[in-house]
Amino acid sequence: MMHRREISLLFVIAALSLVLAAVTPGYFARENLSDLFLGNMPVLIVAIGTTLVILTGNIDISVGSVFAICGVVAGLAAKTSGSVAVAGLAACATGAALGALNGSLVAYLEMPSIVVTLATMVALRDLLRWSTQGAWVQNLPPGFQWFGLPQSSYPFVTCAVVIVLLVTIAWIMANVAVGRAVYATGSNGTAARLAGFNTARVKFSVFIVAGALAGLAALLNSVRFNQIPSNAGIGLEMKVIAAAVVGGTAIRGGAGTLAGTLLGVVLLGAIGPALTFLGVSAYWERALQGAIILAAVAVDAMRERRAVHAVVAAAGAA
């Protein structure tokens, strides 16, 4: 069942699409839509993991640094082994390990996630800069770019991977006990523990999943090019958090859907190119994105206030 936020986002996206179709039909050219998808594909994959983290009442702002490290690791593994499969495993394992670092500090040492991930964001980025000296990974094996597929086939393969990933995790969150554990942990940790959920393990696990997804996103993004930058992922953390919040994920945890996150990525990712096609200065992109984020947070705050007032009124009437 669709939530009110998701329906509202669908209306906004549909309205924007109608305007673009009437004013600049070229926006919907196959090449532009393909570029839009490939440009926002890493954001969507990382946003899935970020949504899981936020649902538990935590935050991860280190995903941009993890994304960059995983991309470099994928390139080095591909050069060493000559295998894209090995590169993918190395990227995802590295992301999961870095996620486990964040998760252990948050879940078992009970350190604030904003502090932990801020520290790892800076430390990991500086570590990568020091270890690579800013150099990009070059001389990749021939079969690495586009997974050795024709360039025209790669978007379809990547789209299939993203759809399977999104549908699978969304189904798990809605139908499997682990999904209920994630929502319960973010909604009320004490009640979740009394209900028998191991909330520390849940928090630890979602950070691992978020890290592994950052590794997968880094691999899928890296194979688009013939060299891998060591400064990738700058600002990625803000994009994925914004997409989750705009999509209806409560920043305090316990509420939100991956469908909403998908719509948030679509809306925020479409703004920049839409402004370009409409002849509006690209400098307005961040301003519009910020306004959308503030509006989403304000709507959530008002709904929460109304819910509290309703509970107080009902208690008074009783």
Side-chain angles (χ1 to χ4, degrees), residues 16-32:
L16 178 61
S17 299
L18 289 174
V19 171
L20 290 170
V23 178
T24 58
Y27 182 88
F28 294 98
R30 177 180 175 180
E31 295 77 10
N32 187 57

Side-chain angles (χ1 to χ4, degrees), residues 42-306:
V43 178
L44 175 57
I45 295 176
V46 178
I48 293 172
T50 297
T51 300
L52 300 182
V53 172
I54 297 176
L55 285 174
T56 64
N58 291 285
I59 199 79
D60 186 356
I61 59 174
S62 69
V63 289
S65 299
V66 173
F67 179 86
I69 289 177
C70 291
V72 170
V73 167
L76 294 176
K79 289 180 63 175
T80 302
S81 66
S83 169
V84 179
V86 172
L89 289 174
C92 291
T94 300
L98 295 176
L101 171 62
N102 286 330
S104 60
L105 295 175
V106 172
Y108 298 114
L109 295 185
E110 299 184 351
M111 297 174 64
S113 57
I114 184 68
V115 175
V116 170
T117 56
L118 175 62
T120 53
M121 176 185 73
V122 175
L124 293 175
R125 182 70 68 177
D126 286 346
L127 176 63
L128 181 61
R129 186 180 297 114
W130 172 79
S131 60
T132 63
Q133 294 297 304
W136 292 20
V137 181
Q138 300 178 337
N139 301 317
L140 295 165
F144 183 78
Q145 191 171 18
W146 310 115
F147 291 130
L149 301 170
Q151 184 175 345
S152 58
S153 301
Y154 170 76
F156 296 100
V157 174
T158 307
C159 184
V161 171
V162 172
I163 290 173
V164 170
L165 182 68
L166 186 62
V167 171
T168 301
I169 297 180
W171 184 87
I172 291 173
M173 293 299 294
N175 298 282
V176 181
V178 67
R180 293 192 292 273
V182 171
Y183 281 105
T185 299
S187 180
N188 189 321
T190 301
R193 285 192 295 273
L194 293 175
F197 293 115
N198 188 330
T199 56
R201 184 184 300 168
V202 170
K203 294 177 184 179
F204 179 67
S205 299
V206 294
F207 274 100
I208 292 178
V209 172
L213 289 175
L216 175 62
L219 172 71
L220 293 176
N221 187 66
S222 296
V223 299
R224 296 172 56 199
F225 311 103
N226 57 12
Q227 53 186 343
I228 301 174
S230 58
N231 61 345
I234 294 176
L236 178 62
E237 58 281 341
M238 299 309 299
K239 292 180 180 179
V240 298
I241 293 172
V245 171
V246 169
T249 302
I251 199 67
R252 293 185 179 87
T257 65
L258 294 182
T261 297
L262 168 62
L263 294 174
V265 172
V266 171
L267 178 60
L268 295 178
I271 290 176
L275 291 177
T276 300
F277 272 84
L278 293 172
V280 180
S281 172
Y283 290 112
W284 284 99
E285 178 181 359
R286 291 185 180 274
L288 286 174
Q289 289 177 340
I292 293 172
I293 295 167
L294 285 176
V297 173
V299 168
D300 287 341
M302 288 187 291
R303 285 181 182 171
E304 185 173 337
R305 182 175 299 178
R306 282 198 299 266

